[in-house]
Amino acid sequence: MKKKITYVLAMAVGLQLLGSCKKYLEVNPEERILETDYYKTPDQAFASLVSVYDMVGNQSSGYLTKTDIMNVGCDDHFAGGANSSDIGDLQAVAKYTFNQISNAGAVTYLWNKGFTGAYRANVFLKHIGDVQMDAATKARYIAEAKLLRAYFYFDLVRFYKNIPLLLDPVDPSQMFNVEQVSPDAVYAQIITDLKASINDLPVTVPAATQGGRVTQGVAHALLGRVYMWQKNYAAAATELALVNGTPGGTSQFGYKLVANFADLWSPKNKFNSESIFEIVFNSTSNGTWSSVGGTEGNLECILVGPRSYSPKVAGAPDYVSGWSGQPFTDDFWNLIHKDPRNKPTVANLDSLETNGIVSYLHAYQNTGHFIEKFAGRTSTKAANGQLELNFPLDMYEIRLADTYLLEAEALLQSNQGVGPGTRAYQLFNAVRARVGLAPIAVTLTNIKTERRLELAGEGQRWLDLVRWGDAGTVLASKGFVAGKNEIFPIPQNELNNTKLQQSKEWGGTK
């Protein structure tokens, strides 16, 4: 769904939260199309909608992504890299040494990503009514934009708590007067947008031509996740049940667990039956070192590969030499190494080297265990352009095993039956059965462990720990401070000369 858009939003000026989208847009000064002249045709409306989707998979020029930030902040990964200063913004997240000024790259990136996406959605929604086009198509576009706006605000309220809630493009004369609202108000708007979007979204989309676009299933899954964060477990279970259907079967939206866990991580299996909300990448955008933030290839593939990798025998894994980022911790390796998901999850360079099959550089925080799910391979690299920047492997924002486990948790937390034969038991153990594991009891401890194993490396662990209230204990050894690091500080540049206030957790007044 990603595509480069060449138009200018004339209102994108001033504050970073309002104008940060400027640096993501291509501008040809001699062929500039002003906002007032743009929204005339269905093709222009679609291009504007694509620009909103573009921010879902946005990656920064500093190699920051939502996934790598979430990974290095949790207990399953180190930051890794060449040394203790390699991609310093990730090192700061891994050690919790960042603040709103110092090493604030990740803090600023997540803020800009979210508000740029919301801003683009708002501009689209402001102007789509003026476009003469098929009514049903227009209704679908509006529904997509509202869902995506909800998606961006859901991240923003989880990451920063005290944020502005902008539902229209802000007039330049008022840009310095924007104020924050309560988190409850943000959540209420997220729920409103998601509910409003459902009926006008398609039940399914043809993967070959529309893969990556949101559907009714995405709306229900995201709404279920929102309710989980609000601890409204009964409502969450209701929404997630619509997504999941009969445990182990095919839901009304066509979702079904992929039979072979390892197949989830092949570029040949984009938009598979388990994929609910997928972040799309490709190998054809020709991303270069001068435009890292503009590539449409998946940066995780080069970030997580073993550094100075060299196969020594025929048949050795065809990894592309990477940057040794986000290595798994020994604690996680000890948990997963006897689990059937081990090999599709962990690239075990320690074992490969010990057996003389490969060699690699033991870089910073090396454990010998890297993320197999996303490791770049010569068999999946781009045919043209800078190979490190153009891997086509997609990422899952939401997949069915995730929603199975969330519904099982919601049923448990809402005091529903969870014994053998119950829906919670069937959902939970369907995830285990897929990889050949015997059923076990549905307890919160078992759910936490299962989510850790099933979703490893996918950027979910940190969010789970915060949602469960476990982060302060589990992440204390990394420098995480309970009552503070559950959210990020608002970037200082957003506070200067504005009415925005820093959160109390970070020494502010909000």
Side-chain angles (χ1 to χ4, degrees), residues 12-45:
V13 293
L15 282 176
Q16 271 186 291
L17 71 87
L18 305 178
S20 57
C21 59
K22 290 196 293 182
K23 64 184 178 183
Y24 298 109
L25 298 176
E26 291 183 342
V27 179
N28 182 337
E30 296 181 358
E31 298 180 5
R32 182 173 297 172
I33 303 174
L34 296 178
E35 178 190 1
T36 53
D37 300 324
Y38 187 77
Y39 292 87
K40 304 295 185 184
T41 70
D43 285 346
Q44 290 173 332

Side-chain angles (χ1 to χ4, degrees), residues 13-19 164 166 170-180 493-501:
V13 293
L15 282 176
Q16 271 186 291
L17 71 87
L18 305 178
L166 307 175
V170 176
D171 187 279
S173 65
Q174 296 301 312
M175 67 178 66
F176 296 105
N177 296 319
V178 172
E179 297 184 5
Q180 292 135 301
N493 285 345
E494 306 301 330
L495 302 173
N496 295 336
N497 301 315
T498 74
K499 290 186 177 181
L500 301 187
Q501 303 171 50

